[in-house]
Amino acid sequence: MTYGEARQAAGLMGRRAARLLAFARRRGRRGREAHGIVLMYHRIASLSAEPWELCVRPDHFEAQIRELNKHADLVPLSRLASQLRRGRRSRPVVAITFDDGYADNLTAAKPILERHEAPATVFLATGFVGRREEFWWNRLARLLLSGHALPQSHELIAGDRAFGWDDAALDVPGSAGQRARLRLHDRLWDWLGGRPEAERSQVLQELEDRLGAPLATDRGAWPMTPDEVRALVAGGLVDIGAHTVTHPMLSRLSSKDKAIEIRQSRADCLSLSGRDPVCFAFPHGDLDAECVELVREAGFDTACTSESDLVWSSGDAHRMPRIFVRNEGGAALMRRLRWYWLA
């Protein structure tokens, strides 16, 4: 074994040991403290070019909801804190959430939720509502990962900043080329995530023109329209929460811009639904102490992160963790929840 291989093996063993220790601590804590689970979804759809694995197939989603209903109490996120599981013999308490506000949350997810009487909260990035185009991160994935021929080197300009690449592997077929595309995608996603929206749109349009990429046809990947938001909340089973206006990395913004993103998204949700939203979700799970305080001051009762953990009765309601849901069947989801989180 080489020195590098030994270091890699040692790192893997260390991570496994850390997971086992966290597992043991969580198991002991579950016997002493009330707890629950918040599940995090994004899209209900089948999609190939998807680096973040945000899509759950409709048949898998229905199987997941069916199994959850058998073994857990499904409650609205706004009532989760008051209904946390009080002991091992009681059923797990679970809240379902969706991020961003994709159109397929209405067309694909809501009918399944209704069939199983499963409440859910959809967090809206309100500045995208009504746009007849993809969210920018889906557009980036389509351009870089869907097989369009990429230049080995190129430079993009956004405002006073430049982003360039020079990678011969982008032209290589097979897994090596795909890995190079993923590396470029991740770097460009991080760079664009910190740019103002107008600059981001300009860069993506330039990239789309450079590649000669056709327009997207997956309307389920578009944000909902105002009418679709109203249809989503009709009946009261599904409610909406705020997810900022432009879906930025909040911790990178000035104090003033953080406050605008948070407060305006709350006002937008009220205008769209006629209901004052009580729940918020941090885009990308990105936050700092100032973000949390601004969310609290804006009047939200609950704020969700992307940290993976159970929700504990002693936890901060404005840093509520969520468990990411994979594209897997219902039995597989329950096995994972029971083995790792509820054992």
Side-chain angles (χ1 to χ4, degrees):
M1 180 182 291
T2 67
Y3 175 70
E5 290 171 335
R7 285 191 61 185
Q8 185 176 13
L12 180 60
M13 290 175 63
R15 289 192 294 274
R16 285 177 177 169
R19 285 197 297 268
L20 287 172
L21 179 60
F23 178 89
R25 287 175 173 169
R26 183 166 59 247
R27 185 169 188 177
R29 187 177 180 183
R30 285 184 57 245
R32 303 186 304 269
E33 185 174 349
H35 53 277
I37 291 175
V38 181
L39 297 178
M40 178 172 60
Y41 291 89
H42 289 76
R43 295 194 60 195
I44 304 303
S46 299
L47 191 65
S48 55
E50 202 214 346
W52 305 113
E53 300 181 345
L54 300 182
C55 288
V56 174
R57 281 175 14 199
D59 59 326
H60 281 171
F61 180 62
E62 180 140 32
Q64 290 172 358
I65 299 301
R66 186 182 298 114
E67 287 298 309
L68 286 166
N69 251 334
K70 286 180 184 177
H71 303 289
D73 293 332
L74 302 183
V75 302
L77 178 64
S78 59
R79 291 184 8 222
L80 178 73
S82 65
Q83 298 188 30
L84 293 177
R85 187 180 188 180
R86 299 297 170 180
R88 288 186 185 276
R89 293 188 179 182
S90 60
R91 283 158 58 95
V93 179
V94 177
I96 296 168
T97 67
F98 292 82
D99 280 8
D100 304 331
Y102 289 95
D104 59 35
N105 292 175
L106 170 66
T107 58
K110 187 180 180 182
I112 294 171
L113 294 168
E114 288 179 325
R115 281 198 290 274
H116 299 278
E117 298 181 345
T121 297
V122 175
F123 291 110
L124 298 181
T126 58
F128 294 91
V129 172
R131 294 190 185 182
R132 301 289 77 192
E133 62 184 20
E134 303 159 285
F135 288 98
W136 73 264
W137 51 90
N138 293 121
R139 188 178 181 187
L140 178 67
R142 176 175 57 83
L143 292 172
L144 297 186
L145 305 178
S146 296
H148 305 298
L150 298 178
Q152 290 186 14
S153 61
H154 192 63
E155 184 175 70
L156 298 166
I157 305 295
D160 59 350
R161 301 291 180 88
F163 178 95
W165 69 85
D166 187 359
D167 189 348
L170 289 168
D171 225 7
V172 175
S175 59
Q178 190 62 20
R179 286 194 298 272
R181 286 171 176 264
L182 283 168
R183 286 195 302 271
L184 175 59
H185 170 274
D186 292 352
R187 289 180 54 227
L188 189 48
W189 177 89
D190 186 65
W191 184 68
L192 287 174
R195 308 307 303 159
E197 185 187 9
E199 295 180 8
R200 195 163 55 211
S201 297
Q202 176 187 336
V203 166
L204 288 170
Q205 187 61 57
E206 177 189 338
L207 189 58
E208 200 162 69
D209 294 343
R210 173 69 173 78
L211 301 180
L215 295 175
T217 57
D218 179 10
R219 295 197 174 194
W222 290 1
M224 282 181 282
T225 65
D227 285 344
E228 288 170 334
V229 173
R230 286 187 280 272
L232 181 75
V233 301
L237 187 67
V238 181
D239 62 6
I240 61 170
H243 199 38
T244 71
V245 178
T246 67
H247 203 275
M249 304 287 280
L250 277 174
S251 68
R252 301 183 185 182
L253 302 183
S254 67
S255 298
K256 177 182 177 181
D257 288 340
K258 287 175 184 174
I260 290 172
E261 288 280 348
I262 293 165
R263 293 169 185 164
Q264 186 60 50
S265 66
R266 189 171 193 266
D268 291 344
C269 286
L270 174 59
S271 176
L272 286 163
S273 69
R275 305 173 189 173
D276 218 358
V278 297
C279 301
F280 181 89
F282 295 99
H284 315 290
D286 175 69
L287 68 148
D288 55 23
E290 184 179 44
C291 293
V292 174
E293 187 57 33
L294 287 169
V295 166
R296 186 180 287 110
E297 290 175 358
F300 293 101
D301 298 332
T302 298
C304 290
T305 70
S306 298
E307 178 188 359
S308 294
D309 198 359
L310 297 175
V311 176
W312 302 99
S313 59
S314 63
D316 185 347
H318 292 89
R319 293 177 182 261
M320 192 172 282
R322 292 186 289 174
I323 296 171
F324 179 80
V325 181
R326 303 170 184 168
N327 183 27
E328 59 191 353
L333 173 62
M334 284 308 306
R335 280 196 301 271
R336 183 161 64 90
L337 293 178
R338 287 190 179 282
W339 185 88
Y340 193 73
W341 297 105
L342 300 174

